Amino acid sequence: MAGNRTFSMIKPDAVRDGHSGSILKMIEAAGFRIVSIKLVHLTSEKAGEFYSVHTGKPFYDSLKSIMSESPIVALILEKENAVEDFRKFIGSTNPANAAEGTVRKLFAKSLERNAVHGSDSDENAKIEGDFFFSNLEKF
Ligand code: CMP
C-alpha cells in the first residue's frame, strides 16, 4: 500500500528568489498537509550526504555546490499516495519536460536548478525526512 508521507525541499535558488511562499501555497492547494517545515543552510558536505546515491555522477560536485549556496526549506508532507502524487505535482526532474502548471515548469531555471526535490519512494521519503527532522519534531 502506498504511504501517506513524502519529503520535499524547496531549493536554494527558489528560496533566494522569493518563491517559497508561492510554492508552499501551491503545495497546500494541491491537498498536501505540512507536517514538518524548517529553513536549513546545508554545508556542501551535508548536501553530499543527502544526495549520496549520486556520488561519482558527473553532476554530483555541482549539485553539492548548488544545494549549499544558501538556505533550503525542508518539508514533510502528508496526503494519500503522497510520493507519487507529489512527483506528478512538481513535474519532471528536467524542467524542459515538465508539464504545464507544475512547480518545476513555473519556477525551475534548469535541470540542476530545478526549484524543488521530491522523494522517489516511500522508503526514501522516510530516510530523507529523518535526515532533517528528529522523531520528536514529527509528533
Ligand atoms: P532532485 O530531484 O533533487 O534529485 C537529484 C538532483 O540532481 C536533481 O533533482 C537535479 O537537480 C540534479 N541533477 C543535475 N543533473 C542531473 C542529471 N543529469 N540527471 C538527474 N539529476 C540531475
Side-chain angles (χ1 to χ4, degrees):
M1 198 188 90
N4 65 349
R5 282 188 178 188
T6 192
F7 171 80
S8 177
M9 275 189 283
I10 305 175
K11 297 191 178 185
D13 285 273
V15 174
R16 243 178 9 244
D17 292 344
H19 297 314
S20 304
S22 304
I23 293 172
L24 289 171
K25 192 168 181 179
M26 280 178 74
I27 288 172
E28 291 188 317
F32 296 90
R33 191 175 74 83
I34 297 170
V35 176
S36 304
I37 184 167
K38 191 192 281 189
L39 192 79
V40 184
H41 194 157
L42 290 166
T43 60
S44 171
E45 191 186 17
K46 275 284 172 196
E49 207 183 300
F50 181 84
Y51 281 117
S52 60
V53 67
H54 297 302
T55 306
K57 292 191 184 160
F59 58 86
Y60 183 62
D61 285 346
S62 170
L63 180 61
K64 284 196 293 182
S65 164
I66 285 171
M67 291 305 298
S68 56
E69 280 175 350
S70 55
I72 58 100
V73 176
L75 295 159
I76 293 176
L77 302 169
E78 197 164 75
K79 182 183 183 295
E80 214 176 287
N81 200 34
V83 166
E84 195 186 336
D85 284 4
F86 192 74
R87 283 173 74 84
K88 253 186 232 156
F89 164 74
I90 60 177
S92 297
T93 304
N94 187 342
N97 305 322
E100 289 300 328
T102 59
V103 176
R104 282 172 171 157
K105 183 72 179 180
L106 289 165
F107 298 108
K109 292 175 175 164
S110 66
L111 171 57
E112 293 199 291
R113 297 182 184 274
N114 63 353
V116 282
H117 167 81
S119 304
D120 63 3
S121 66
D122 288 344
E123 189 191 0
N124 284 337
K126 169 87 174 88
I127 293 168
E128 293 175 357
D130 286 349
F131 186 90
F132 284 95
F133 300 97
S134 76
N135 282 330
L136 196 64
E137 284 171 306
K138 280 188 210 154
F139 290 97

